Amino acid sequence: MSPTPLTLARAGLPVVDLRPDPADAPGPLVFATVSGAHLYGFPSRDSDVDLRGVHVLPAEALVGLREPEETRTRMWERDGVELDLVTHDLRTFVRLMLRPNGYVLEQLLSPLVVHTSALHTELAALVPGVLTRHHAHHYRGFAGTQWRLYGKTGELKPLLYTFRALLTGIHLMRSGEVLAHLPALLDEVDAPAYLPGLIEAKAEAEHGAATEADGERVTRDIEALHRALDEEQERSRLPETATAFDALHDLVVRARLRP
């Protein structure tokens, strides 16, 4: 049975207007989606809302003498909820897509959409052409960074990020699908039975300690998932290189010259 689709209402998001002000981007917005813990399926009661997206700079911003604002970050509060918006210029974002960078693909494909456009749809349709076996490196590296952070802080947040990254990578290597939502991943990939309990505990506090986690068992499980990711990368049917470069180049040029 297919999992219930993740929606804004089901993601634990606060009931506020999440739409960014178009003036917060230095060019027209292509999309803005919710990322972070709400997308990953383990928000806390005190989690802020991470918004990520793409804007399109006018051509003169790239050919003149002034440095273009290719990335803009803004934080604000609305009805008591902290919102964090980061947008990249389309060319910058597409260059990240062409690297084995699963993070930007998760943003692009996030079902938690607060602003969209026809260009957003076109961009998402090209994702299969950028997926490669090397995306396993992204998830392996991200999991390693979060695991080291967990070792320093003992918090649930980096521990769940570690599991989420490894399970997303394994699922991607097997299926060619970018799936960032940890509860949904538990239905797709063999994972420790205690993870739902850790997700439930994380809901109480953004920086709560992983007091319920058995350190030795968790270490063994993380090591096992790393081995599983290595094995799935070896047998994956994903290609070695991206095939969508020309199509993405044409999309960027068209969007820039004919906004």
Side-chain angles (χ1 to χ4, degrees):
M1 182 172 66
S2 300
T4 304
L6 184 64
T7 63
L8 290 169
R10 294 186 62 249
L13 286 156
V15 184
V16 298
D17 184 1
L18 299 176
R19 292 172 298 177
D21 185 338
D24 291 332
L29 272 176
V30 176
F31 74 85
T33 60
V34 177
S35 184
H38 291 95
L39 173 62
Y40 303 149
F42 44 83
S44 304
R45 301 184 192 279
D46 53 345
S47 293
D48 60 3
V49 178
D50 295 325
L51 300 174
R52 299 294 182 264
V54 166
H55 60 261
V56 182
L57 289 172
E60 57 266 24
L62 299 177
V63 299
L65 295 179
R66 296 182 179 87
E67 286 296 319
E69 195 169 8
E70 295 192 72
T71 299
R72 173 176 284 191
T73 300
R74 180 171 181 258
M75 298 181 68
W76 72 98
E77 191 172 292
R78 181 178 290 159
D79 296 334
V81 177
E82 187 174 304
L83 299 156
D84 172 18
L85 172 67
V86 179
T87 65
H88 296 296
D89 174 59
L90 178 63
R91 182 178 64 175
T92 301
F93 189 85
V94 166
R95 284 174 170 169
L96 291 170
M97 286 178 64
L98 287 165
R99 299 174 185 175
N101 187 323
Y103 185 52
V104 296
L105 301 183
E106 292 164 7
Q107 297 168 14
L108 175 59
L109 299 175
S110 170
L112 305 177
V113 178
V114 298
H115 176 85
T116 190
S117 66
L119 190 57
H120 180 199
T121 302
E122 287 189 64
L123 203 57
L126 292 173
V127 166
V130 303
L131 294 174
T132 73
R133 296 169 68 249
H134 299 292
H135 279 80
H137 299 312
H138 166 86
Y139 288 106
R140 187 181 295 111
F142 185 68
T145 299
Q146 294 298 313
W147 179 245
R148 290 188 292 274
L149 182 59
Y150 167 66
K152 293 178 181 179
T153 67
E155 291 183 358
L156 266 174
K157 181 177 180 178
L159 178 58
L160 286 173
Y161 270 63
T162 303
F163 277 113
R164 199 285 302 178
L166 290 169
L167 293 173
T168 296
I170 291 167
H171 181 69
L172 174 59
M173 292 300 104
R174 289 178 179 173
S175 68
E177 177 191 21
V178 179
L179 179 60
H181 190 250
L182 181 55
L185 285 162
L186 300 183
D187 294 330
E188 302 292 334
V189 183
D190 288 337
Y194 54 78
L195 280 179
L198 297 186
I199 293 172
E200 185 176 348
K202 166 70 167 53
E204 297 303 318
E206 179 72 3
H207 298 287
T211 54
E212 303 297 322
D214 179 330
E216 291 186 4
R217 182 179 181 185
V218 166
T219 298
R220 290 195 301 270
D221 289 337
I222 292 295
E223 290 173 349
L225 289 174
H226 270 285
R227 290 192 296 271
L229 178 56
D230 293 343
E231 293 166 0
E232 294 300 335
Q233 182 181 11
E234 285 296 320
R235 64 170 65 103
S236 177
R237 295 183 178 181
L238 289 172
E240 287 287 331
T241 59
T243 59
F245 182 92
D246 289 341
L248 286 166
H249 169 80
D250 292 344
L251 182 148
V252 171
V253 171
R254 174 163 44 85
R256 188 85 70 205
L257 298 182
R258 296 190 295 277

